[in-house]
């Protein structure tokens, strides 16, 4: 088991390194001059050249990359030879010349919003998706199952912006049940926090819950037909034990995988929901950085999201080994 | 006219049958119509005896077994008839009563040991669970019993193996574990549904020996479901041949092999390779395929494949359902042919080489040949 963990962790780190190169190279190959973007209308050839030097874009790509990587571990200083050097402490993901702030600062400001959004939606959708999915499987073919499957198909097919906009229109604008969303930290004003988050949670959860209902139902149905479930019944176990201990234990493990990866993807930012509900999370930050061609910020967010997914993959793999003894051999 | 009843017949004898099945019917509604999986099966088994239920795939053997165990989902299937286990009727009992008998008074082992054990739980935990459902014993005691049972079914180093996961065991080992699990509560009835089909030939013999050994230890009634007539000859006391959801012939093993009367049984026996026949003879398969359980043929269910149906006047084979009648004491046959004709056909068919093979010779030769044929594959 220990060897398995070490191997998985090393693999994840290698993957991350390869990925950072790929992201860095990709964004530096893009047409357009990043230094040109730093000053907009005020640009003069001298200013562009000065900014290029300040931000290190005059260095060879390899040097830029090593500077970037060493910045993550030990920090770095931008425009060191100018009168106003910018100190970027480790972990330094770069400096957004567009927002005049360090990428890390921008990300740490936006990340909690996305974190709460993702976690709340995750809890909601896992709870609803898995319980309703199990219920549908146990009522297979009867009216309850048919209704659930119909509703989930609708939920899965509706685009989340459509449902989100409907909710905003009715709940907030027409019926005025909730105030206009404006994010505050749950530690500052929990009531306002909940008022703001409840709709985005519902919108995200409906989309995912619909998918998880179908996934869970199919898993459970498949497992209920497995030979070892028949064995469990043949032993004389009560039906409850057969379903919970024998069928669900085996049937729900693949859902762990899907859930881990979905959560990680969502932690990287939920672009549409954040936009509809004006939440200043990572999704909104990504959109901003792309519309402004803010290269350092795009690079930073992309790397962070990728790292999250790699990390989630690792956690899911390790969890799987805990749950399924057969995996430990592999 | 009432159909004679094997169970009742056996009751008259000294041994009280532990299990008797009367007129068992199992139907599954499906989108294509009703699947008549079992249509009026009757048999009985006494403690310490082995009944072999033989038939092709789809003949209703496994469904019969599952129905006895109460493992047919009554919400999606109809089960009718009577199943008496140790004086208690099961078909009309409620689910919970039958559940309590499963694993305690009656147990079952399945065809595929590779998939019949839960992949996530240790062998010992699965064995212990079987004991603890039915008896109030501590986890430690259940574990001790699990180790004891593993050693009784011949698993080496049971103290170590008890903590293995199923994937760490070979197929034969897993089937031993299944047997240990089935017998941990000393059930009086063991149903083995093709217990050796998924195993190597050498392992098959070991598993059958093991079942026979444990059967004599526990004085268990055993129902052995199989399509392998070679196995049957060695281990069964009685044989019931099933075709299209019915018992078409049943008799003590020696009688059935020496004197099969139903043309289907005869066909099965003739299609086994035999040592005492000319090698140039081709095997004599039964023409055609078993009927679809959605639409069983009228009259005798076997008549479309029967070579001898012309010998019965008035086209009775195609029009009248034959009953399972007692041709000789303890020998029941479902066939319109007159008894004398059946005997003549059988003796001609089984003695083509003119050797007049004795029963023992025929049977063991058949078994050996079957084993040899299988091991070549």
């Amino acid at each position: 088991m220990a060897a398995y963990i070490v191997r998985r962790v090393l693999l994840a780190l290698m993957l991350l390194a390869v990925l950072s190169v790929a992201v860095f190279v990709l964004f530096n190959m893009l047409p357009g001059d990043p230094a040109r973007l730093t000053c907009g209308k005020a640009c003069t050839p001298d200013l562009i050249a000065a900014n290029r030097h300040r931000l290190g874009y005059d260095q060879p790509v390899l040097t830029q990359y090593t500077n970037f990587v060493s910045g993550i571990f030990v920090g770095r200083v931008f425009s060191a030879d100018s009168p106003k050097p910018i100190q970027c402490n480790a972990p330094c993901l770069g400096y957004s010349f567009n927002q005049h702030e360090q990428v890390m600062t921008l990300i740490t400001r936006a990340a909690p919003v996305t974190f709460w959004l993702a976690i709340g939606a995750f809890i909601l959708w896992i709870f609803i998706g898995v319980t309703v999915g199990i219920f549908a499987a146990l009522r297979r073919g009867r009216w309850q199952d048919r209704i659930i499957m119909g509703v989930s198909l609708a939920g899965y097919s509706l685009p989340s912006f459509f449902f989100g906009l409907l909710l905003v229109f009715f709940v907030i604008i027409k019926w005025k049940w909730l105030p206009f969303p404006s994010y505050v930290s749950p530690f500052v004003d929990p009531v306002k926090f909940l008022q703001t988050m409840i709709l985005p949670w519902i919108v995200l959860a409906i989309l995912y819950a619909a998918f998880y209902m179908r996934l869970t139902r199919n898993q459970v149905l498949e497992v209920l037909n497995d030979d070892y479930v028949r064995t469990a019944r043949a032993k004389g176990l009560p039906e409850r034990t057969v379903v919970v201990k024998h069928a669900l234990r085996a049937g729900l493990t693949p859902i762990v995988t899907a859930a881990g990866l979905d959560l990680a993807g969502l932690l990287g930012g939920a672009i549409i929901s954040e936009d509809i509900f004006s939440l200043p999370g990572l999704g909104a930050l990504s959109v901003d950085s792309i519309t402004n061609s803010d290269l350092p910020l795009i690079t930073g967010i992309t790397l962070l999201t990728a790292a999250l997914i790699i990390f989630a993959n690792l956690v899911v793999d390790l969890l799987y080994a805990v749950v399924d003894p057969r995996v430990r051999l592999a | 006219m009432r159909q004679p009843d094997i169970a009742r017949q056996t009751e008259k004898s000294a041994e009280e049958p532990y299990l008797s099945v009367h007129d068992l019917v199992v139907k599954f509604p499906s989108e294509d119509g009703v699947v008549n999986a079992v249509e009026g099966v009757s048999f009985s088994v006494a403690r310490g005896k082995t009944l072999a239920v033989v038939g092709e795939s789809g003949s209703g053997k496994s469904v019969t077994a599952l129905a006895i165990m109460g493992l047919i989902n009554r919400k999606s299937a109809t089960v009718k008839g009577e199943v008496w286990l140790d004086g208690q009727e099961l078909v009309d009992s409620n689910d919970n009563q039958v559940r309590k008998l499963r694993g305690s008074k009656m147990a079952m082992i399945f065809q595929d040991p590779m998939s019949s054990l839960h992949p996530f739980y240790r062998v010992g935990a699965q064995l212990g669970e079987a004991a603890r459902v039915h008896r109030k014993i501590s986890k430690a005691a259940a574990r001790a019993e699990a180790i004891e049972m593993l050693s009784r079914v011949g698993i080496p180093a049971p103290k170590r193996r008890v903590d293995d996961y199923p994937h760490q065991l070979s197929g034969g080992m897993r089937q031993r574990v299944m047997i240990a699990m089935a017998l941990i509560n000393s059930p009086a009835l063991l149903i083995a549904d093709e217990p050796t089909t998924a195993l190597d030939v050498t392992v098959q013999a070991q598993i059958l020996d093991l079942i026979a050994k444990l059967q004599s230890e526990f004085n268990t009634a055993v129902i052995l479901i199989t399509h392998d007539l070679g196995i049957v000859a060695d281990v069964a006391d009685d044989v019931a041949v099933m075709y299209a959801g019915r018992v078409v012939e049943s008799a003590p093993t020696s009688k059935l092999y020496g004197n099969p009367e139903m043309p289907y049984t005869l066909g099965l026996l003739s299609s086994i390779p035999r040592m005492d026949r000319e090698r140039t003879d081709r095997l004599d398969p039964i023409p055609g395929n078993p009927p679809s359980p959605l639409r069983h043929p009228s009259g005798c269910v076997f008549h479309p494949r029967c070579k001898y149906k012309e010998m019965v006047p008035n086209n009775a084979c195609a029009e009248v359902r034959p009953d399972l009648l007692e041709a000789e004491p303890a020998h029941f046959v479902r066939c319109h042919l007159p008894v004398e004709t059946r005997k003549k056909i059988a003796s001609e068919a089984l003695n083509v080489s003119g050797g007049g093979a004795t029963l023992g010779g025929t049977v063991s030769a058949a078994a050996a040949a079957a084993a040899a044929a299988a091991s070549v594959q």
Side-chain angles (χ1 to χ4, degrees), chain B residues 210-240:
Chain B
L210 175 66
I211 292 177
K213 187 190 101 189
L214 294 169
Q215 171 179 30
S216 57
E217 268 177 50
F218 289 89
N219 194 26
T220 319
V222 172
I223 297 179
L224 178 70
I225 296 175
T226 180
H227 57 251
D228 188 340
L229 286 163
I231 288 179
V232 172
D234 290 335
V235 298
D237 298 296
D238 296 286
V239 185

Side-chain angles (χ1 to χ4, degrees), chain A residues 178-200:
Chain A
L178 288 172
F180 271 89
S182 127
Y183 181 81
V184 284
S185 159
F187 305 112
V188 175
D189 186 348
V191 176
K192 184 121 206 307
F193 169 77
L194 286 177
Q195 285 176 336
T196 304
M197 298 306 277
I198 185 80
L199 291 186

Side-chain angles (χ1 to χ4, degrees), chain A residues 227 231 233 235-236 245-246, chain B residues 102 115-116 118 121 129 134:
Chain A
D227 288 349
T231 306
R233 289 211 174 93
K235 280 189 208 177
K245 189 174 166 191
H246 289 254
Chain B
R102 273 204 295 274
S115 57
S116 292
H118 200 296
Y121 296 109
E129 186 184 35
H134 298 290

